[in-house]
Every structure is written in C-alpha cells, then in structure tokens.
Amino acid sequence: MTEQKDRELYRWLRLIREFEGRISALDKQGKLMGGVYSGKGQEAVTVGFCHDLRWDDWIFPLHRDLGAYLVKGADPKRLMAQIFGKRDGFAKGKDSYLHGGDLANGIFGATSMLAATLPVAAGMAYKFKIRKEDRVAISFFGEGASSRGDVHEAMNFAGVHKLPVVFVCENNFYAYSTPNELQFGVDNVADRAAGYGFKGEVVNGNDLHDVMKAAGKAIDRARKGEGPTLVECKTYRYHGHSEHDRADYRSEEEVITWESRDPISLWEIYLEKRKYDIAAIRKETAEEVTRIVEEAVAFADGSPAPEGPEAMEDLYAMPIDTEAR
Amino acid sequence: MLITYIEAIRQAMDEELARDKNVLLMGEDVGVLGGAFKATAGLLEKYGADRVVDMPISESLIVGAGVGLAVQGMRPILEMQFIDFIACGFDQIVNSAATLRYRHGGQTACPIVVRGPSGGGVHGGLYHSQNPEAWFCHVPGLKVVAPATAYDAKGLLKSAIRDDDPVIYFEHKFLYRRIKEEIPAEEYLVPIGKAALRKEGRDLTVITYSAPVHAVMKAARDMAAEVDIEVIDLRTLLPIDWATVKASARKTGKVLIVHESRLNGGIGGEVAARIAQDCFEDLDGPVMRLGARDAHTPFAPAMEAYVLPNQEKITEAIRKLAAY
C-alpha cells in the first residue's frame, strides 16, 4: 500500500474513535437521549470493509457501526445531528442513533430487530444480479444476531442465487451480556457458510490488514458473480452493550487482554515499521479529527429540534386523508 | 409492603418459581445480567441456570421453545427484552401457541406467559416504545393483560403463570419505577378477565388501561368540581369484562375510551362498537376515543408528545364529551 493510503486508513480509524468518544462523553453529560451503542474497539472491521467500496455499493451497518457511515461518505455533521435527534439528521428526529440510513450514500438504516437487514441486503443484491450491475452489498451483523432465523433465511437465498453480497459477522463475544457459549454450539459463525454453499472465513477483526485482505477477496468474488462470502471478524467492544451497561459480566483480565490488541495501536505499530514520521502523523491526524468532530457537534447542537406536527410527515409516499383526531 | 411496579413483577415470578417447580423463565439476558430492566435480578442465583435461562437472540425460538415446554407440562415465562421484539416471535404466538389447544381438539393446554416492557414516554424511538396489544386481541386462543398498578402487576402475572392458556402480558416501562404502592404481605391473585372500577362517578365514564390509568385518575380528581367521572381500568384486554363496561356505560350514558396505542385498529374501536350496539338507548352522546395519533412513536421529544396522549389531551377530551 502507498504511504498516502496507509495514512488515510489511520485517519479513518482515529476519526471514528474520536467521533464515538465524543458521543460517549456527551451521553455521560446527559446531553443525549436514548441508547448509545459504542463500537470502540471494532473500528478496523468497518474501515476494512468500507474503505475500498465504490460510491454505488451499499452497506447495511449494525447498531455499532457508526464508523461505517463516515467511511462510506455520510456527512459527519448530519450524522451527529442524527445522534442528537435533530431535524438535520437522516431520520429528521423520528428515530435515534443508527436507525436512520443515508440512502444517497448507499447506507441502509437499521432497526432494533437485529439481523432484520440481512434479508434486505440479499434482496438488494438480487437486483444487482438480475440487472447485471457491477455492485455489491455488505451486510454487517453481530454474533448474537446470528441466532435469528433471518440470518439463515438470507444466507440460504444468497447461496441459492450466488448473490453479490458479503455477510460480515462482527463477533465481539457478547450479545449484551450473553456469551458465545450460550449463543451457539459451533466454534465459529463462519463455519455455517458451508451449509449455504458458499465460503466462510475467520479473520482477526482488530488487524486492519487481515480485514482488508478478506474484504478485498470477498468483494472481488461478489463482483465477479461468484457469490456470497461470510467473513467472521473476531473483535471486542470496550464499552458495554450500551452506555447504560457497566458490562460487569466480563472479567477485568479479559478487557485488558483485548485492550492490548487495540486496532489503532496495531496500525500505529505498522506505520512505525514503515518508518513514517509517526509523531507528526499522530499530531496532524489528532488536529484534523478533533476539528471535524467539533464542527459536527456544533452543527448538531445548533440544528433545530423537530416540532410536534412533523411527527405526521414521512408516513406515506403520498399523503393520505388522516383526519385530525 | 411498599413496592414499585417492576418489583411487583419480579416478586410474582420469584413466588411462582418457588411455588411450582414446573415454572421456568426464559429470555435474552434474564440470567447473569438480571434483565435489561432488572426485572429478573437475583432469580438465576436462586433457581439456577436450568430454570432461569439466558436464551440466544431469537424471539421466535423463545416462544416456540416455550410451546414445546408447555406441552410437557412446564409453565414457561418468556421475556421479550422490549415488547417491540415480540413481532419477531409473532408467528409462534399466533400460529403455534394460540392454535395449539384448538388444533389438538383439547388434548393439550398451552400455559405460557409472554411478557415484556411496552409503551412510550421515554424517548425510546420507533423500536422501544410500541403498544402492540391490539395485534394480539384479534387472535382467538390468547389472553391479553395490561396492568396499571403494582398490585395488579403482581396479581395478574401470578394468575397468568397459573393460567392454562397463552397469556400475553404487557407491562409498561414508564411505570416501572415511577409508581410505588402498598401491597399485601400475604399472597393474592388478580383474576384475568375482570376490570377494576377505579373511581365511581355519575356524569361520564372513562374506560382505560395501563399507563393512562394514572393520567385519567388525576384528571378525574382535578376536574371533580366540574364533572363527576367514573374510571374503569380494563386490566384484561382479551377477554374484556363487558359486564363492567356496559353497566358503567348505562349508568353515566357518556363514554370516553383512552389508550396509549394508536386509534386505528385499537382496542378503543372494539369497546366503542360494543357499547354503541348494546347500550345505544342509554347513551347521551357519542362514544369517544383518545389514543395516539396514527404515526409511529417518534424519538424527538416534541414529536413524541404530539403523537402520544397526555394529561392535557385527556382533560380536553373529557370536557368535550361532558359538554355534549
């Protein structure tokens, strides 16, 4: 990879960490409503899968993939306004966090019914196939969501038609408090791919090189019409399920072990090995991402809160006669 | 003893788990974590992992597995982490559980309870604010309850666990820690299928259930000088206690139905139609309804307030009917 790309990837990792860190801080200060679901520790997965996508490819992020929005091209200001529940957010305040997608940038909004986006991604990929469009859909989900029927149904259909979709399982070992051993009986979620007739692969989700290599192969395969891939990224969330969750179902030792495998630190070690001026890169990046985040917060803070009657907008494509009651 | 609504729910499960070894509890994060709202805190330690079961994320599985357990004589309590997620278990509830007894010609019962936090008012957004009780009232074979008080929350849940039919139990998350109530130290049950006359009155009847009961009671007290309001808390939505509903409609001649779920296809329509048909000659005005506007329950505060019923809208609706 070129130095420019190495640095660009670093910038994305740092921007996501800064963006989410600011959101966690705002939540602690009581400035946000609703749930905040930090993806801190999982940045390499979203950067690795989204960075080399084309503008007309689609992503289906899960509730922890805020970074995917940024890398895929969402305006940080509007993303922050979305978190604030303001009118300039993608959902115009109608729902919170990542429930508002940015369709112009190929980002599909999630629901709280985890895994509900997988069949949608498969449907979209079916369209890419039948219209012979050179596009892919990347569908993210957690290892907990993999227990839902929707996952099986989507993968089965994608396998039947060899659809241009990549299923990315972000296995962070806990579904809220429930550990993997109470979630499924296999070692790897990726092992299930064989049952659907396509390839499954396990990668170190904290190592951006590993993720990018797997992502590149899977996306290439999808574009060539060779069908779906299930890539399982083993990673770890530093925070609880939401900011309200102290996560005391995990041992301190386990958390420390994973912190020593931090995706950003690993990338910095790589940059140092390439003999770049890491001190300068760090400083420059910090200044840039801080500026972007602060501008986003200022914009979101100043964005108007929606007013009551706006609740009745966007229900139907054509307004229907809803008698005021 | 003085307890909160959520403590009442926890006590009901604790007592029934202790009383009957066939009772067990299944759901997402109900064990080690003690539930997302702590409704099941301490139960894993007390009853073990065979009876307080942390389940994989699959509401369809949770309900379906509950049906299998029920056929074997067990009495599962099945928690939906948020009641909104019940939609993911909808097929197992309406096609599997509700029909179980009927399609086996009475050979088996289906003693499951599906419970979880419903309701808005907490800026929970589209997927953490729903009131889906009407979906289930359309389905024969089910029973549907929605308690408004800590006393009822405990007594109705205990009845639901002992009931041989599938009971969908809608607890209201807004009430969890906001209401506290003195309840008896000794065991008691609240029967399924009986409404509660919360307040007697002469001028008009307000029929309601769940969280709005408290706002309606406040309105009845605040407006006592201008209108004498009778308040009925349905408590059970399937089957509805028609005897109590009709007696009150005949007595006051004016009925307002208040619920938090949206009007279109809501319980209020059913109640209004029944009163219009059976009590037509006793009525002094149209049966009126107040519910949420026909939108999803939005996130931003001003929009949420606009959509959901509140004290002000209840007072306004009562005045409108009283003036009729």
Side-chain angles (χ1 to χ4, degrees), chain A residues 61 65-74 79 90 98 100-102 107-109:
Chain A
D65 285 334
L66 182 138
Y69 276 66
L70 294 167
V71 183
K72 188 69 175 59
L79 181 59
F90 304 117
L98 304 190
D102 179 11
I107 304 167
F108 190 83

Side-chain angles (χ1 to χ4, degrees), chain A residues 33-35 37 82-85 91-97 99 110-114 144-149 175-179 182-184 241 245 248-249 305-312 315-316 322 324-325, chain B residues 27-38 54-59 61 81 84-88 122-128 130 263-264 289-290 292-304 306-307:
Chain A
M33 299 170 302
Y37 305 90
Q82 167 67 19
I83 308 299
F84 274 61
K92 303 182 201 162
K94 293 195 179 69
D95 208 353
S96 59
Y97 223 67
H99 291 160
T111 76
S112 291
M113 289 64 195
L114 303 174
S146 76
S147 299
R148 279 204 54 216
Y176 204 149
S177 73
T178 306
L182 291 178
Q183 200 67 240
F184 39 76
H241 166 64
D245 170 23
D248 44 18
Y249 42 84
E307 291 182 19
E310 291 173 41
M312 307 311 290
L315 277 165
Y316 297 95
T322 48
R325 287 190 258 224
Chain B
E28 290 149 17
D29 306 289
V30 295
V32 176
L33 188 73
F37 290 93
K38 301 289 170 200
D54 272 326
M55 292 290 282
I57 298 185
S58 174
E59 286 73 17
L61 163 76
Q81 192 157 71
D84 314 63
F85 306 162
I86 203 170
C88 304
V122 296
H123 317 307
L126 307 189
Y127 306 111
H128 295 81
Q130 293 182 53
L263 278 185
N264 193 12
R289 292 179 296 153
L290 174 67
R293 290 175 193 272
D294 292 323
H296 305 287
T297 306
F299 174 65
M303 288 197 288
E304 188 184 31
Y306 184 79
V307 167

Side-chain angles (χ1 to χ4, degrees), chain B residues 190-210:
Chain B
V190 172
I192 291 174
K194 290 275 172 237
L197 178 61
R198 294 277 174 220
K199 180 188 169 299
E200 288 200 62
R202 287 186 315 270
D203 299 338
L204 65 81
T205 300
V206 180
I207 298 172
T208 184
Y209 59 89
S210 194

Side-chain angles (χ1 to χ4, degrees), chain A residues 242-274:
Chain A
S242 69
E243 297 297 281
H244 303 289
D245 170 23
R246 293 196 314 272
D248 44 18
Y249 42 84
R250 311 186 302 195
S251 71
E252 203 177 323
E253 192 189 348
E254 180 185 285
V255 178
I256 291 168
T257 304
W258 276 97
E259 278 172 352
S260 73
R261 305 169 190 164
D262 184 83
I264 297 181
S265 305
L266 289 179
W267 197 251
E268 287 185 349
I269 290 167
Y270 161 74
L271 296 180
E272 275 170 5
K273 275 192 193 146
R274 296 286 304 258

Side-chain angles (χ1 to χ4, degrees), chain B residues 7-203:
Chain B
E7 172 60 13
I9 290 163
R10 203 197 60 75
Q11 280 185 12
M13 291 191 282
D14 191 355
E15 288 179 16
E16 293 304 299
L17 281 158
R19 190 188 63 85
D20 180 351
K21 65 179 184 344
N22 291 323
V23 173
L24 77 167
L25 172 65
M26 305 175 100
E28 290 149 17
D29 306 289
V30 295
V32 176
L33 188 73
F37 290 93
K38 301 289 170 200
T40 59
L43 299 180
L44 172 69
E45 292 77 6
K46 216 162 160 181
Y47 300 102
D50 284 350
R51 296 185 66 202
V52 179
V53 189
D54 272 326
M55 292 290 282
I57 298 185
S58 174
E59 286 73 17
S60 181
L61 163 76
I62 292 167
V63 178
V67 173
L69 284 154
V71 172
Q72 284 295 312
M74 304 292 284
R75 309 188 86 80
I77 307 165
L78 310 167
E79 179 176 300
M80 304 285 110
Q81 192 157 71
F82 280 84
I83 207 65
D84 314 63
F85 306 162
I86 203 170
C88 304
F90 192 74
D91 178 43
Q92 283 290 342
I93 293 174
V94 305
N95 288 322
S96 183
T99 61
L100 183 71
R101 185 177 166 81
Y102 197 68
R103 72 191 139 99
H104 289 92
Q107 295 175 71
T108 182
C110 190
I112 65 169
V113 180
V114 182
R115 51 158 284 270
S118 65
V122 296
H123 317 307
L126 307 189
Y127 306 111
H128 295 81
S129 304
Q130 293 182 53
N131 295 288
E133 61 270 18
W135 301 350
F136 298 98
C137 290
H138 199 60
V139 183
L142 300 179
K143 291 175 180 172
V144 177
V145 300
T149 67
Y151 180 91
D152 282 359
K154 182 171 180 183
L156 270 173
L157 184 50
K158 285 171 69 86
S159 293
I161 294 165
R162 296 184 198 188
D163 199 287
D164 280 337
D165 294 314
V167 180
I168 317 297
Y169 179 98
F170 292 99
E171 44 205 69
H172 201 299
K173 72 175 81 68
F174 189 80
L175 301 179
Y176 274 164
R177 291 178 176 84
R178 280 185 178 83
I179 59 167
K180 269 192 175 166
E181 195 181 355
E182 199 69 44
I183 66 157
E186 63 275 14
E187 179 175 278
Y188 68 91
L189 298 170
V190 172
I192 291 174
K194 290 275 172 237
L197 178 61
R198 294 277 174 220
K199 180 188 169 299
E200 288 200 62
R202 287 186 315 270
D203 299 338

